[in-house]
Amino acid sequence: MEYNFKEIEKKWQQKWLNDKTFKTDNHSDKPKYYVLDMFPYPSGSGLHVGHPLGYIASDIYARYMRLKGYNVLHPMGYDAYGLPAEQYAIQTGQHPAITTETNIKRYRAQLDKLGLSFDWDRIVRTDAPAYYKWTQWVFLQLFSSYYCYDAQQARPVSELIDCFKQQGTKDLNIASTAVLDFTAEQWNKKTEKEQQEILMNYRLAYLSDSIVNWCSALGTVLANDEVVGGVSVRGGHPVERKLMKQWSLRITAYAERLLKGLETLSWSDSLKEIQRNWIGRSEGASIRFAISGHADFLEIFTTRPDTVFGVSFMVLSPEHELNEIITTNVQKESVEAYISWAKNRSERERQAEVKMVTGVFTGAFAVHPFTGEQIPIWISDYVLAGYGTGAIMAVPAHDSRDFAFARHFNLPVTQVIVPKGEQPEDTANWEESKDGKEGTCINSDFINEMPVKNAISAVIKKIEELNIGYGTVNYRLRDAIFSRQRYWGEPFPIYYKEGIPYPMAEKDLPLQLPDIDKYLPTETGEPPLARAKNWTYNGYPLDCNTMPGFAGSNGYYLRYMEPDNKEAYVGKQANEYWGNVDLYMGGAEHATGHLLYARMWNKFLFDLGIVSKDEPFQKLINQGMIQGRTSFVYRERGTNRFISLNLKNNYQVDSIRVDINLVDNDILDIEQFKNWRSEFADAEFVLENGKYICGYEIEKMSKSYYNVQNPDNLVEKYGADTLRMYEMFLGPLEQSKPWNVQGIEGTARFIRKFWKLYHYNDENNFCISEDVPSLQELKILHKTIKKIQEDIEGFSFNTSVSAFMICVNELTELKSNKRAILEPLCILISSFAPHIAEELWQLLGNKETISYTSFPLVNEEYLQESTVTYPVSFNGKTRFMLEIDVHIPVEEIEALVLQSPEAQRWIEGKTPKKVIVVPKKIINIVI
RNA sequence: GCCUUGGUGGUGGAAUUGGUAGACACGCGGGACUUAAAAUCCCGUGAUCUUUAUGAUCUUGCGGGUUCAAGUCCCGCCCGGGGUACCA
């Protein structure tokens, strides 16, 4: 039989489906292993070649673990809520549910063709009411909980109310938006509304004013990605940063645990580092400065209280609430102008354009807490409203941004720290600040001559004594804004009574997403849900926001454990059996989003006693991103004439992305291009050598860049086994790489070669030899088993594939087709190329599928060598090879080498200075 | 800007974690089979030089350093990718 991958793959995919080969039971004698992929967002352009990279890798591991005797849970689902379906709905009027359904069907068909071993009976999708019921349920729990720092866990708000009734805020150490102070008596006198407002200050899901990108023309809030240069990408309308009431999750309450928990995880160091930096723990002090002529205080956070005597000005963020209060009449106009200018700059712009120094003086002065000096208060957008208190004390001598600011506005620079081994200098000559945290204090009153570290604690002690501040820990992490003014998401199970939000009863969940006539915000700027008819609960209006994309993806891994449970998010027994995810496969682009929110979500559920593990994802592998190669054509400005790549420098041109399907080998198919868009129908071209050559760039694969490569054509042409092998062969799993199909022929050839090894006669029938294998064949086999086992366990799948290839090449050379070799080989290859492996396995006469067998064991005996071949180097340059018996002790090797005629030739009668013998590695002779 | 990651032949990449740089594959060149093509198989393939050899020299983004020995470790640069809080 010829190798007919189409028939073979279809046959086995059908069989796995019919037999439910990969259905997983929640009960087993075997140890459990949970392999999870980050589920995809079903986009309109279908599954692209980047998706399977992770899915194939996790599938290889899942299949391997089954062979190693584990009960493996390997499910799949869809992150079905998202912006693209909504945008499409706005444009076409088609309900996002329909778009999503179509896309999911397409994804499923594409996934099925790859031969992935998912247990499809456990499918979850985030837009299913039976699923989002539980997303809403968790939200209600968050709403009804607060975070107690003493207990280091979430507690019910009802407990907090009892506490307020009895002792007010006394001795409370809990997470809050603002620090409040009241007695039991005061609490009990408050109205229901006042009490509810106070409780909002503590809830883990709470309403507050947050800064968002508001586009009044579109009537909606935009992501930073959707804003460029202060205007919306769509339409180019102005966008301003505006305070709006939003739901938030108090993830900052979990900052410390999120940080600590990282230590227990098998994630890459870089990913942990990203999360650590994102959480951004810094120790420092909060100090209150009095303001001249005002009752208000200016509270700042600094990590360098030791530099307090070097303060030469204060800086407030443009959003700071004191701006309005303290600005003098003289400065009013320029301050207002500056603030309104700064308002339209995104946070990213502000931080990126670090060289651009801007700011304005308020006219007001703060009072130095120790010297009583008058310190001018400035406003500048290099101070961010969202970090610390949104205000800083500027110490230009020891902070580079403050230094740049001081130089630009000609403010004084006072040195207060002398780095070790240096002398105090005249700061007028400085070209940069001395930011180092090592040194001794000068010009600093009571901390003079102290090293920085001691000075920090001395100042903290002093401000605590004076009751003007305290030592504190600050996090860069911000609470997550949790509401979106969009349609396609989970509605909030919250209704309003006299403007106060109340939770719906759990028994009334899920609160189903209503149908509406249009997916746009209302004319008055209300979110789309305001268009829904009877959007009320017991006669009260419901919240019109929806939850963000990440809401549904937080706890989905729990739902796979028991997807049909109607009583609970996840049943206790199922959760205790599956614990957490043993291996999570997904992209590193989720490092600070999903992977942080999901951890917090899980920790909260852990606090509630719903889940048994504090961390959701024990081991994490980030598959690299497969990048697209976007093709570009170059249009001469103001014309419809296109200039070939190497001639474009002679013209003034604009780069235009062109669909990669119109380009072959960088050569544009001009006829197809003309038909692609009506605007190009009468295009003219300036060619080189009769061809139009396109340029290219490597970037993220995206429908909007026209560079999406889908796997369908390749599966059609080469089969799933080849595609699977090829995607793994492409390079290290964790590295990003551009997609390129140049090498796929080689993998296809290798699979055919493997098949032919057992189908070599004229009729192409299956031929197998029952002979006992030779030592050489056993050596090849066991070398391969060992290598592949090591590589799978180290997620080095590219070298595994190479090892297979070498093995097949060697066997082909020996014309070896023995049963005793093929049988283990089928099992080895079954993780990578499961279809061909099953087919050969069946041809060998096996009745059961490979998943019921176990991984072959390595017999080290076959791998032992009697000699070692040493490279012999002179002064580090390898000159010849020398074979030495393994049993010769290391001490004797030196003499042996020096005596060899080759060595004598290189030594040329000189006396070697030194001989280095590294066992089994190298011999180096220094002369 | 900040965080993170990568840079090795014409191309994708390998290198036992400090020990023969370029495995394996693509591509390319040559040959066999064939009327021919496809497929398949065999040989060659980092660069330069010469005395054409079991030869020499150079070579892992650039510049320094540590070491008997550096793609790998250290310091300083350059360039690409991802993230940067409402894309998923």
Side-chain angles (χ1 to χ4, degrees):
Chain A
M1 191 174 75
E2 278 292 335
Y3 172 54
N4 184 339
F5 61 81
K6 276 187 193 162
E7 268 176 37
I8 293 173
E9 293 182 357
K10 201 171 151 196
K11 166 179 158 189
W12 287 101
Q13 284 166 11
Q14 202 62 52
K15 183 166 167 63
W16 293 330
L17 202 66
N18 293 347
D19 296 0
K20 293 194 186 281
T21 308
F22 304 110
K23 189 171 165 56
T24 310
D25 211 346
N26 277 1
H27 306 276
S28 172
D29 309 334
K30 297 179 189 169
K32 68 98 190 181
Y33 201 88
Y34 188 174
V35 182
L36 181 66
D37 289 292
M38 287 184 187
F39 61 170
Y41 170 74
S43 103
S45 47
L47 198 70
H48 61 64
V49 291
H51 290 113
L53 185 74
Y55 302 156
I56 293 166
S58 62
D59 192 60
I60 287 170
Y61 204 76
R63 286 174 181 270
Y64 172 75
M65 291 306 273
R66 284 192 199 101
L67 292 171
K68 280 281 174 184
Y70 289 85
N71 185 31
V72 173
L73 175 56
H74 187 40
M76 184 42 87
Y78 303 98
D79 189 11
Y81 279 131
L83 214 44
E86 179 157 333
Q87 298 292 7
Y88 190 72
I90 291 169
Q91 285 162 24
T92 64
Q94 188 175 62
H95 197 291
I98 298 172
T99 318
T100 306
E101 189 61 38
T102 314
N103 293 346
I104 283 181
K105 285 217 171 89
R106 170 137 184 241
Y107 267 58
R108 176 64 197 271
Q110 289 179 300
L111 287 170
D112 279 346
K113 281 191 185 153
L114 296 174
L116 302 167
S117 63
F118 293 126
D119 177 357
W120 282 107
D121 287 351
R122 292 180 185 251
I123 183 170
V124 304
R125 48 187 283 185
T126 54
D127 64 339
Y131 177 87
Y132 69 66
K133 169 181 175 175
W134 297 104
T135 310
Q136 293 173 332
W137 180 84
V138 176
F139 177 82
L140 289 184
Q141 308 310 306
L142 285 159
F143 180 80
S144 313
S145 302
Y146 74 101
Y147 195 84
C148 175
Y149 285 129
D150 289 335
Q152 277 290 309
Q153 63 169 190
R155 310 286 312 165
V157 164
S158 56
E159 274 182 16
L160 189 62
I161 296 171
D162 290 342
C163 178
F164 286 159
K165 277 182 190 159
Q166 282 155 29
Q167 54 177 71
T169 52
K170 195 166 163 277
D171 296 332
L172 277 182
N173 183 18
I174 63 180
S176 62
T177 309
V179 179
L180 303 181
D181 195 9
F182 53 81
T183 62
E185 204 177 331
Q186 286 170 323
W187 169 262
N188 293 327
K189 275 188 197 151
K190 290 186 194 292
T191 62
E192 160 77 5
K193 189 174 168 131
E194 285 169 337
Q195 288 184 343
Q196 286 299 330
E197 271 166 13
I198 287 171
L199 291 174
M200 202 50 103
N201 191 48
Y202 301 100
R203 295 181 189 280
L204 288 180
Y206 63 96
L207 268 178
S208 73
D209 286 319
S210 305
I211 297 172
V212 293
N213 299 317
W214 173 253
C215 178
S216 50
L218 295 173
T220 185
V221 174
L222 297 174
N224 282 342
D225 274 7
E226 299 173 290
V227 185
V228 170
V231 298
S232 63
V233 173
R234 279 181 297 132
H237 307 294
V239 175
E240 65 169 318
R241 294 164 59 73
K242 187 182 169 190
L243 276 178
M244 283 181 74
K245 270 259 183 291
Q246 300 285 348
W247 285 104
S248 291
L249 295 192
R250 204 179 297 285
I251 188 171
T252 49
Y254 283 88
E256 197 60 38
R257 275 169 69 190
L258 288 169
L259 201 58
K260 283 255 169 64
L262 288 173
E263 291 164 21
T264 66
L265 300 176
S266 310
W267 294 14
S268 71
D269 288 337
S270 64
L271 200 83
K272 288 186 189 180
E273 197 60 21
I274 292 172
Q275 290 214 342
R276 268 188 216 113
N277 292 335
W278 188 259
I279 295 167
R281 182 184 201 276
S282 53
E283 288 180 19
S286 181
I287 308 177
R288 281 200 307 278
F289 284 67
I291 304 171
S292 269
H294 286 271
D296 296 287
F297 284 95
L298 173 54
E299 184 167 3
I300 60 101
F301 173 78
T302 177
T303 55
R304 298 294 303 273
D306 55 308
T307 61
V308 69
F309 289 95
V311 175
S312 43
F313 54 100
M314 313 294 286
V315 188
L316 307 184
S317 65
E319 291 84 3
H320 204 282
E321 51 190 9
L322 282 176
N323 289 343
E324 223 177 294
I325 303 166
I326 62 170
T327 299
T328 59
N329 286 335
V330 183
Q331 292 301 104
K332 198 163 184 158
E333 210 172 305
S334 41
V335 166
E336 277 172 5
Y338 182 75
I339 290 176
S340 73
W341 172 79
K343 235 184 189 173
N344 294 325
R345 300 184 76 210
S346 73
E347 205 164 292
R348 191 143 359 138
E349 278 173 327
R350 291 194 195 180
Q351 288 177 75
E353 291 161 20
V354 76
K355 282 182 187 141
M356 184 162 118
V357 179
T358 64
V360 64
F361 179 45
T362 61
F365 291 87
V367 182
H368 194 285
F370 300 127
T371 66
E373 251 175 284
Q374 295 274 304
I375 312 164
I377 304 176
W378 287 68
I379 297 170
S380 174
D381 68 359
Y382 80 93
V383 174
L384 302 176
Y387 182 73
T389 59
I392 61 156
M393 63 174 203
V395 184
H398 306 291
D399 181 282
S400 50
R401 289 156 306 174
D402 297 350
F403 185 82
F405 195 85
R407 281 285 189 261
H408 190 262
F409 290 105
N410 211 4
L411 295 157
V413 178
T414 316
Q415 182 174 15
V416 289
I417 305 289
V418 183
K420 215 174 169 184
E422 285 184 25
Q423 292 298 315
E425 293 165 19
D426 183 358
T427 57
N429 303 326
W430 287 13
E431 284 184 6
E432 55 182 13
S433 57
K434 296 181 186 292
D435 294 9
K437 252 191 147 178
E438 304 268 313
T440 323
C441 298
I442 55 161
N443 302 329
S444 293
D445 194 5
F446 66 92
I447 51 170
N448 269 336
E449 293 182 25
M450 282 189 193
V452 166
K453 215 176 157 191
N454 301 10
I456 290 177
S457 20
V459 170
I460 289 174
K461 199 174 155 214
K462 192 81 164 187
I463 56 172
E464 284 175 354
E465 276 167 25
L466 296 172
N467 200 22
I468 55 164
Y470 49 93
T472 182
V473 174
N474 193 44
Y475 297 93
R476 205 185 71 99
L477 183 69
R478 306 203 292 252
D479 281 343
I481 299 179
F482 199 65
S483 42
R484 302 288 182 263
Q485 289 68 48
R486 315 268 189 189
Y487 172 71
W488 191 229
E490 301 87 347
F492 282 88
I494 291 286
Y495 65 96
Y496 292 85
K497 198 155 80 183
E498 287 159 32
I500 305 168
Y502 288 95
M504 276 174 56
E506 282 178 21
K507 64 171 174 58
D508 295 326
L509 297 181
L511 171 62
Q512 298 234 17
L513 184 66
D515 279 331
I516 55 175
D517 53 350
K518 258 199 205 162
Y519 305 99
L520 285 169
T522 66
E523 280 65 36
T524 55
E526 293 277 304
L529 288 195
R531 295 176 180 274
K533 290 192 186 96
N534 301 323
W535 189 235
T536 55
Y537 178 67
N538 296 338
Y540 295 106
L542 280 159
D543 197 295
C544 292
N545 294 293
T546 52
M547 297 187 196
F550 67 82
S553 59
N554 283 328
Y556 75 114
Y557 93 94
L558 293 167
R559 216 43 204 160
Y560 284 132
M561 294 175 179
E562 213 178 17
D564 299 324
N565 193 324
K566 293 193 173 61
E567 311 304 315
Y569 200 3
V570 57
K572 210 161 183 72
Q573 241 185 342
N575 180 256
E576 264 162 24
Y577 179 70
W578 290 111
N580 56 7
V581 175
D582 294 284
L583 173 67
Y584 197 24
M585 184 76 64
E589 66 271 21
H590 297 285
T592 55
H594 165 63
L595 287 173
L596 207 57
Y597 298 132
R599 289 180 62 214
M600 179 248 175
W601 195 265
N602 189 78
K603 282 175 189 296
F604 173 67
L605 293 171
F606 177 77
D607 289 352
L608 294 188
I610 309 283
V611 304
S612 58
K613 298 273 188 172
D614 185 36
E615 286 287 347
F617 314 122
Q618 200 55 46
K619 182 176 176 65
L620 181 80
I621 298 281
N622 290 124
Q623 91 272 18
M625 182 172 281
I626 297 230
Q627 293 148 327
R629 195 173 183 279
T630 314
S631 287
F632 286 85
V633 292
Y634 305 94
R635 183 170 59 194
E636 189 181 3
R637 186 158 297 170
T639 71
N640 205 9
R641 196 151 75 127
F642 292 83
I643 318 297
S644 189
L645 174 69
N646 299 305
L647 304 172
K648 75 179 165 78
N649 290 343
N650 306 331
Y651 303 81
Q652 195 185 8
V653 293
D654 295 309
S655 310
I656 297 172
R657 288 193 176 86
V658 57
D659 194 320
I660 47 164
N661 295 311
L662 312 181
V663 180
D664 184 31
N665 228 342
D666 287 340
I667 298 163
L668 182 71
D669 184 324
I670 289 171
E671 286 316 305
Q672 278 197 46
F673 178 73
K674 286 180 171 178
N675 294 332
W676 185 39
R677 293 266 176 92
S678 55
E679 55 182 300
F680 300 141
D682 51 0
E684 295 169 45
F685 299 88
V686 176
L687 307 177
E688 47 183 313
N689 303 327
K691 291 169 187 161
Y692 188 97
I693 312 288
C694 298
Y696 70 91
E697 259 175 52
I698 302 299
E699 50 191 3
K700 197 162 149 172
M701 211 174 262
S702 163
K703 195 184 180 185
S704 55
Y705 295 168
Y706 311 112
N707 65 355
V708 168
Q709 294 275 4
N710 76 49
D712 305 0
N713 303 339
L714 294 169
V715 172
E716 181 69 18
K717 190 166 172 195
Y718 298 103
D721 284 340
T722 297
L723 181 73
R724 288 170 64 109
M725 287 282 219
Y726 180 63
E727 288 223 13
M728 292 302 105
F729 187 61
L730 207 51
L733 181 60
E734 303 194 54
Q735 208 166 286
S736 290
K737 52 231 153 193
W739 178 246
N740 110 48
V741 286
Q742 279 181 20
I744 198 167
E745 286 288 350
T747 331
R749 228 172 267 163
F750 155 70
I751 296 213
R752 278 200 301 270
K753 202 167 172 180
F754 182 52
W755 179 262
K756 265 193 86 178
L757 187 53
Y758 306 97
H759 293 84
Y760 57 84
N761 62 10
D762 292 342
E763 295 83 38
N764 290 319
N765 284 333
F766 183 66
C767 330
I768 195 81
S769 153
E770 301 292 341
D771 292 350
V772 175
S774 67
L775 182 64
Q776 196 182 2
E777 287 165 315
L778 288 169
K779 223 171 211 172
I780 294 169
L781 174 67
H782 285 267
K783 183 181 75 181
T784 309
I785 298 174
K786 188 175 177 183
K787 175 83 178 132
I788 283 166
Q789 176 160 334
E790 280 170 6
D791 284 349
I792 291 180
E793 286 174 4
F795 296 91
S796 177
F797 298 137
N798 54 331
T799 50
S800 303
V801 176
S802 294
F804 278 135
M805 290 186 177
I806 294 168
C807 174
V808 170
N809 285 341
E810 286 174 351
L811 291 177
T812 305
E813 203 159 307
L814 296 176
K815 294 194 173 18
S816 159
N817 65 333
K818 291 175 187 161
R819 170 183 291 276
I821 303 290
L822 177 59
E823 225 163 41
L825 222 48
C826 280
I827 304 173
L828 274 190
I829 208 170
S830 69
S831 302
F832 291 83
H835 311 88
I836 190 173
E838 291 279 19
E839 185 68 18
L840 289 168
W841 185 252
Q842 194 187 44
L843 288 169
L844 281 169
N846 293 291
K847 294 277 182 292
E848 299 273 29
T849 58
I850 291 181
S851 49
Y852 292 96
T853 58
S854 54
F855 201 79
L857 296 174
V858 186
N859 189 338
E860 293 279 351
E861 266 175 46
Y862 298 123
L863 301 179
Q864 274 167 18
E865 301 284 345
S866 56
T867 60
V868 181
T869 307
Y870 281 91
V872 181
S873 302
F874 288 84
N875 295 336
K877 270 198 174 29
T878 303
R879 296 304 183 183
F880 63 92
M881 309 301 290
L882 190 66
E883 206 168 304
I884 296 177
D885 195 295
V886 282
H887 303 293
I888 295 180
V890 182
E891 314 73 79
E892 287 170 31
I893 291 179
E894 180 176 335
L896 210 68
V897 171
L898 292 176
Q899 280 159 24
S900 71
E902 294 100 322
Q904 286 300 323
R905 216 181 89 208
W906 283 96
I907 292 167
E908 291 175 328
K910 292 176 212 148
T911 320
K913 285 182 192 148
K914 207 167 160 191
V915 178
I916 294 138
V917 179
V918 184
K920 294 191 179 174
K921 279 193 175 165
I922 201 164
I923 298 164
N924 191 16
I925 300 169
V926 186
I927 29 178

